[in-house]
Amino acid sequence: YTITLSFAAAKPSSGNTVSIGVSIVNSHGTMTSSVSVDVYNKCTLPAIDHISVLSGGTLDHNGVLSGMSCDAGYVLQGSQKVTCNDGTLTYSESTTSTASSTPKCIGFNIQPSTSLVQVGDYEKLTCETAASDFNVSSIEWKTGSTTLWTDTSAKLNSTENGRMYKSVYGFEAQISENQKDYYCKVNYKDSGNKDHSSNSNSAKINIAGINEITVTGYSGKYIEVDTTSASNSESYTVTAKVYSMSAPALSNLTAKNEKGDVIVFTAGSTVDGVQTYTYTPAEAKKIDEIITIEASYNGFNNKLSKSQKVHVYKFCKADSLPTVADGTWNPATGSINHFGHATLSCKDGSFAVGSSTAICGQATRGILNVPTTPVCQGSATAKCGTLMSPNNGYVIYENANSAKYYCDDGYVMVGNLTSTTCNTASGSWSHVSAENPDGDAPACSKKATTNSRVATITTGYELPSGETYCSTPAQVHHFEETLVAAMVAKGDLTCRANSTCSIDSFTCTATSNKLKITYKLKQEGNLDNPHVLTDQVDTIVKQTYDFNLDTTVAKRSVPSRSKRSTISVKQDATVKTTSTVVTSCASGSQSSSNVCVTCPPGTGFTNGACATCPRGQWNGANDNTPCNTCTNSMTTLKSGSTSANDCTRVQDVCTVKSAPANGHLSPVPGSQVNNNVMVTLTCNTGYDLQYSIASSFACNDAAYPTCFRTCDLSTYTPSKLEELRVDSAGINANQPLRHLQALKVNCISNHNFESSINSKTLTCKGDGTLEDTKITIPECTKDDNTTLIVIIVLVVLLGVAVLLLFLFIFIQWRKKRNDSYKRRSKTTTLELRRRDDEQAGPSGNTYQNNAREDNV
């Protein structure tokens, strides 16, 4: 038999041992025995709030409770170990300066303990406790086992508003954080410099609201409508994605436009807690409007809302363009899309003065913008020739000597060639080069889908000496809000106001009184246009923003040396504001100058952009591959090659030599052409090739011809030649003579140069000085023989007249003389005969002869 006897032990009056006697009686007799038992008093445990093992009751003799801690949200002060010794509790391992003290719990609470936060909003949590005599070294903000932020900015050794420890943690709410528990882990030291830690209570964050509002369903880049034709207007659908989890549950969803009209959204499917709502407007609603969606959730009084601006654009009418004489608009009829354009082409290469491109833009709202009515005039191609238009682009002549290249809507220019000018001396456009000897137009690459575009901006700020900031997330957030307000006050950050960009990942790092600020500016809409973001970034980088900060935001418990409630913050002049823009593109495309494109043939993707393939490379694809290199050390004749067939052997290539002085070559020097390809030399104004020398010659000729000075004939106009009495045949005042060219000059009829010369040959000498090139045509004079003949004739006539007068006088004199002679002869005849007879003697012959002589 086993007999069990239970009874209340009583402690003896002295000592701790009790002797118990037992007697067992049966039919055989009585058996006695005894046992000694040590009896001790139990210890009564105190009931201490938030220490679960000390909630009353007792502790056996020699019982030990060690490693005591407080419930979550509280910090233990006092002993962490208690021992029972015959009814007396002994405390040890104190967290405070007291060697042995009853423990107590000081609470660390997070406020608010529950919260409904709209996705994307900034949420603040505060961790704080009552004053005590231990020192906090840091407070860790955690969710699960992940540490989000460690607050070491304050040593927290003095009270503030009756509280000793306080830390504020802020974050941007994302749906991935929904229903998460947040708590703070307090790390502290006791008076004995022992390290301890304790966790606060937890806070549950409920993140909900409207994630995004998108506009889809239209075919082009923009929603475009025709106010005169419903059938020509595009349909579109507004889609809202709303978080609708079981906790918190979505109770109601309403939507209105800016006029207050109720918009009815149709509920769709729910995927991963996100429910889709859609709204397709009627034709009458196809106008610009701001749609605001408001969501209510069970268990929360506040409503969450999000607004979206829906931009609707009107088609522009081409027939509204002004009529331009000698010009044609393209297109001339029909509709032009938003951001599309019409281009004016002037006939015969003349150029347009005024607005030759009409843009269908946002500011004009369905009306083509033509600031000044253009006029076609002049000739932009007379000297340098007609320019080639880019594929998927066009060229506009600005004046007689300059033009600009443009790409069609949906395309972007490759490279930096956007304009060109005419060199009137050489007759060549400025973009003609050794790499581009044919003067090819720049390439236009097709835009592709842009996934995202984010700019990272870094700048510096300076606080007054002795001041610090950005020690808490709340201060960082306040700095962000104040900086944004300063930007808005200067009229900047407009993209944020119209919901096309947002600020993200804002950080502020302090070193003494210097602050380093970094944040991201994310483009939210119209990703096809990089200028929405890049223009805003350029403005921010050039601008200076100074402002005042509120020092009372999330102040540390250690008082600041400055008692001011605000401090002046100035942008640090020693720190240059920098920015980097990163554009993420859809598969198969790349970012080139922050535009997602596919590189056209003749170009390749290199160094982050589409670039024209250099000589020796080619690419025939319309993608984002780099240019291919010609094999076997071959080369191409120019840049922008599109086929491997363009590759040629180096030994078959001739490089155009340098141009002679005062001359220009086509192709230009440095160009590569096939051997024996003809090169043309054009001399500058006032220069030309030697007479009879051809201006075209083979590229591989040993020497190229020379440009000589020309001999100017411009002063010898027809009127001047007439004045000089020179025949104008063969003399052209507008055509100078070339070096060694002969010019035959003839006098007009009955005129001569000196020495009775009627013509002369003059030769141009263009290899000397400018003075040597002067051609002098002498004056012609009337012939001298003519005058002589006239004089001789006159003299002869005078002589004849004198002779006739003399003969007349002589005849008259003779007649008178003859009459007198006859009278004298009769009286003297006999006397003469007598004398003759006397002289002759007897012969009669002598008489007769003398008589005959006498008669004579």
Side-chain angles (χ1 to χ4, degrees):
Y1 294 93
T2 300
I3 300 173
T4 302
L5 176 63
S6 297
F7 58 94
K11 187 176 181 182
S13 56
S14 61
N16 296 95
T17 302
V18 176
S19 180
I20 300 174
V22 179
S23 296
I24 299 175
V25 180
N26 60 17
S27 57
H28 297 286
T30 299
M31 180 182 295
T32 62
S33 183
S34 65
V35 63
S36 295
V37 178
D38 291 332
V39 179
Y40 295 89
N41 289 322
K42 290 184 177 184
C43 295
T44 300
L45 295 173
I48 300 177
D49 293 338
H50 306 296
I51 300 180
S52 58
V53 296
L54 295 180
S55 56
T58 59
L59 178 64
D60 290 344
H61 171 66
N62 286 337
V64 177
L65 294 176
S66 60
M68 289 187 297
S69 63
C70 297
D71 296 339
Y74 295 86
V75 176
L76 181 69
Q77 273 194 294
S79 299
Q80 300 177 88
K81 181 178 179 181
V82 61
T83 304
C84 178
N85 183 16
D86 196 16
T88 302
L89 291 173
T90 302
Y91 295 95
S92 60
E93 297 183 8
S94 176
T95 62
T96 64
S97 57
T98 305
S100 178
S101 62
T102 303
K104 62 179 179 179
C105 293
I106 303 298
F108 264 81
N109 298 310
I110 288 185
Q111 299 293 335
S113 59
T114 58
S115 178
L116 176 66
V117 182
Q118 175 157 305
V119 62
D121 283 355
Y122 192 82
E123 173 68 358
K124 294 179 182 178
L125 296 176
T126 302
C127 184
E128 58 186 3
T129 188
S132 61
D133 61 352
F134 53 81
N135 298 325
V136 172
S137 57
S138 65
I139 297 177
E140 298 177 48
W141 284 91
K142 305 174 74 70
T143 177
S145 60
T146 303
T147 299
L148 303 171
W149 175 59
T150 301
D151 185 357
T152 59
S153 61
K155 297 305 179 184
L156 308 174
N157 290 323
S158 61
T159 61
E160 176 186 321
N161 297 326
R163 301 282 181 179
M164 187 172 186
Y165 310 121
K166 182 178 181 180
S167 179
V168 178
Y169 173 68
F171 60 94
E172 185 177 298
Q174 300 296 332
I175 194 61
S176 59
E177 297 161 334
N178 185 54
Q179 297 285 304
K180 280 189 177 180
D181 288 328
Y182 292 86
Y183 64 93
C184 55
K185 178 182 178 182
V186 182
N187 301 309
Y188 59 95
K189 292 179 179 292
D190 61 23
S191 58
N193 206 33
K194 292 182 179 180
D195 291 321
H196 305 275
S197 64
S198 180
N199 295 335
S200 69
N201 64 312
S202 63
K204 187 177 291 295
I205 304 300
N206 299 289
I207 299 173
I210 299 95
N211 180 34
E212 63 179 359
I213 303 175
T214 57
V215 184
T216 59
Y218 53 97
S219 59
K221 299 176 183 177
Y222 313 100
I223 306 169
E224 295 175 297
V225 298
D226 189 340
T227 54
T228 62
S229 173
S231 61
N232 195 33
S233 298
E234 292 186 307
S235 298
Y236 62 94
T237 300
V238 181
T239 302
K241 293 186 176 181
V242 182
Y243 293 112
S244 180
M245 292 76 62
S246 58
L250 178 67
S251 61
N252 189 32
L253 183 77
T254 58
K256 294 182 180 180
N257 62 16
E258 54 192 318
K259 296 179 181 179
D261 302 328
V262 175
I263 296 175
V264 179
F265 276 78
T266 302
S269 60
T270 301
V271 178
D272 296 331
V274 178
Q275 187 166 10
T276 301
Y277 291 83
T278 57
Y279 157 66
T280 301
E283 191 66 36
K285 292 290 185 181
K286 290 190 173 180
I287 57 174
D288 278 12
E289 57 185 353
I290 297 176
I291 297 177
T292 301
I293 301 175
E294 192 174 73
S296 300
Y297 289 85
N298 292 332
F300 296 93
N301 294 325
N302 56 318
K303 296 179 180 180
L304 306 180
S305 64
K306 189 177 183 71
S307 298
Q308 177 66 43
K309 178 79 172 181
V310 180
H311 294 286
V312 180
Y313 303 98
K314 296 177 183 178
F315 287 114
C316 291
K317 300 295 185 180
D319 52 17
S320 65
L321 291 165
T323 301
V324 180
D326 298 328
T328 303
W329 291 101
N330 183 27
T333 59
S335 299
I336 299 175
N337 294 338
H338 178 63
F339 277 154
H341 62 271
T343 305
L344 177 68
S345 299
C346 295
K347 71 176 185 179
D348 299 329
S350 59
F351 59 92
V353 176
S355 304
S356 58
T357 301
I359 304 296
C360 182
Q362 181 174 356
T364 54
R365 288 294 175 183
I367 300 175
L368 286 162
N369 184 22
V370 186
T372 57
T373 301
V375 177
C376 289
Q377 68 179 36
S379 177
T381 61
K383 186 66 177 177
C384 293
T386 303
L387 290 166
M388 292 181 288
S389 294
N391 292 329
N392 304 304
Y394 53 97
V395 61
I396 292 179
Y397 296 97
E398 294 188 308
N399 51 53
N401 296 315
S402 66
K404 281 191 175 182
Y405 292 105
Y406 296 90
C407 290
D408 294 335
D409 186 35
Y411 291 83
V412 64
M413 197 81 71
V414 175
N416 298 320
L417 175 59
T418 58
S419 62
T420 184
T421 57
C422 175
N423 185 334
T424 55
S426 65
S428 176
W429 292 101
S430 61
H431 69 285
V432 175
S433 64
E435 287 278 345
N436 186 15
D438 297 333
D440 294 335
C444 292
S445 57
K446 185 176 179 59
K447 291 182 181 179
T449 301
T450 302
N451 292 333
S452 65
R453 186 175 292 109
V454 178
T456 301
I457 301 174
T458 301
T459 187
Y461 276 86
E462 186 174 13
L463 303 173
S465 178
E467 294 290 348
T468 60
Y469 210 79
C470 292
S471 59
T472 67
Q475 287 184 338
V476 173
H477 180 64
H478 177 65
F479 195 105
E480 176 186 350
E481 290 180 327
T482 310
L483 175 59
V484 169
M487 292 179 178
V488 173
K490 287 196 173 185
D492 301 331
L493 211 61
T494 53
C495 62
R496 189 170 181 262
N498 57 28
S499 301
T500 55
C501 73
S502 61
I503 291 181
D504 191 17
S505 304
F506 191 96
T507 62
C508 174
T509 306
T511 303
S512 185
N513 67 325
K514 301 279 189 175
L515 303 177
K516 179 182 178 182
I517 306 299
T518 302
Y519 58 93
K520 296 182 184 298
L521 198 61
K522 180 180 179 183
Q523 187 171 340
E524 300 288 357
N526 197 11
L527 291 172
D528 186 61
N529 181 10
H531 295 288
V532 170
L533 185 70
T534 56
D535 289 354
Q536 190 69 80
V537 171
D538 291 343
T539 300
I540 292 174
V541 169
K542 297 174 183 177
Q543 188 62 272
T544 298
Y545 306 100
D546 298 335
F547 45 87
N548 293 326
L549 282 175
D550 184 358
T551 60
T552 64
V553 175
K555 289 200 305 185
R556 302 171 301 174
S557 60
V558 175
S560 172
R561 283 177 287 178
S562 171
K563 295 182 179 180
R564 291 174 292 183
S565 60
T566 61
I567 54 175
S568 176
V569 182
K570 295 185 178 296
Q571 207 153 347
D572 193 344
T574 64
V575 178
K576 182 180 179 180
T577 301
T578 60
S579 65
T580 303
V581 179
V582 177
T583 300
S584 174
C585 302
S587 177
S589 62
Q590 295 282 0
S591 172
S592 177
S593 300
N594 291 308
V595 179
C596 292
V597 296
T598 53
C599 300
T603 68
F605 195 80
T606 179
N607 296 327
C610 295
T612 303
C613 295
R615 285 191 296 202
Q617 297 182 8
W618 61 274
N619 192 1
N622 190 5
D623 57 17
N624 290 304
T625 58
C627 297
N628 305 289
T629 302
C630 292
T631 59
N632 300 321
S633 300
M634 292 195 292
T635 187
T636 58
L637 299 181
K638 63 178 184 178
S639 60
S641 296
T642 60
S643 171
N645 295 330
D646 296 333
C647 297
T648 186
R649 299 188 310 165
V650 175
Q651 55 267 38
D652 296 334
V653 173
C654 172
T655 300
V656 178
K657 301 179 180 67
S658 298
N662 304 303
H664 302 274
L665 294 176
S666 178
V668 297
S671 300
Q672 293 183 338
V673 297
N674 289 319
N675 289 331
N676 298 318
V677 165
M678 302 302 287
V679 176
T680 301
L681 171 62
T682 303
C683 296
N684 295 346
T685 301
Y687 292 83
D688 208 335
L689 279 75
Q690 179 180 325
Y691 184 66
S692 77
I693 299 297
S695 61
S696 295
F697 41 89
C699 171
N700 54 359
D701 280 358
Y704 292 174
T706 302
C707 288
F708 296 95
R709 295 182 187 274
T710 57
C711 296
D712 184 32
L713 297 177
S714 62
T715 59
Y716 294 107
T717 61
S719 60
K720 179 64 176 177
L721 293 174
E722 183 180 0
E723 180 184 333
L724 295 174
R725 291 177 289 278
V726 173
D727 189 353
S728 61
I731 302 176
N732 187 351
N734 298 320
Q735 183 63 51
L737 297 179
R738 295 164 61 180
H739 177 56
L740 298 185
Q741 182 178 0
L743 177 67
K744 187 175 182 180
V745 182
N746 299 308
C747 291
I748 61 176
S749 177
N750 298 324
H751 286 72
N752 287 314
F753 297 112
E754 72 279 1
S755 302
S756 300
I757 299 174
N758 181 260
S759 66
K760 278 190 173 186
T761 299
L762 307 176
T763 303
C764 175
K765 300 292 185 181
D767 56 351
T769 64
L770 183 62
E771 186 68 24
D772 297 333
T773 64
K774 290 184 177 180
I775 295 290
T776 302
I777 300 178
E779 182 180 5
C780 295
T781 60
K782 290 183 179 181
D783 291 342
D784 293 338
N785 292 337
T786 303
T787 304
L788 180 62
I789 291 171
V790 172
I791 294 173
I792 291 174
V793 171
L794 293 175
V795 171
V796 169
L797 291 175
L798 181 61
V800 170
V802 171
L803 181 61
L804 291 175
L805 179 61
F806 174 78
L807 288 176
F808 175 78
I809 295 172
F810 178 77
I811 292 172
Q812 294 299 323
W813 172 79
R814 179 79 179 188
K815 182 177 180 182
K816 290 179 180 181
R817 183 184 177 197
N818 287 339
D819 290 341
S820 176
Y821 177 76
K822 288 180 178 178
R823 287 191 299 268
R824 290 194 312 266
S825 64
K826 289 179 177 180
T827 60
T828 61
T829 302
L830 292 178
E831 180 64 24
L832 290 171
R833 288 181 177 175
R834 185 188 62 76
R835 292 176 180 174
D836 289 340
D837 289 338
E838 291 179 353
Q839 292 177 354
S843 176
N845 290 336
T846 304
Y847 169 74
Q848 293 176 351
N849 289 339
N850 290 338
R852 194 177 292 118
E853 290 175 0
D854 182 61
N855 289 332
V856 174

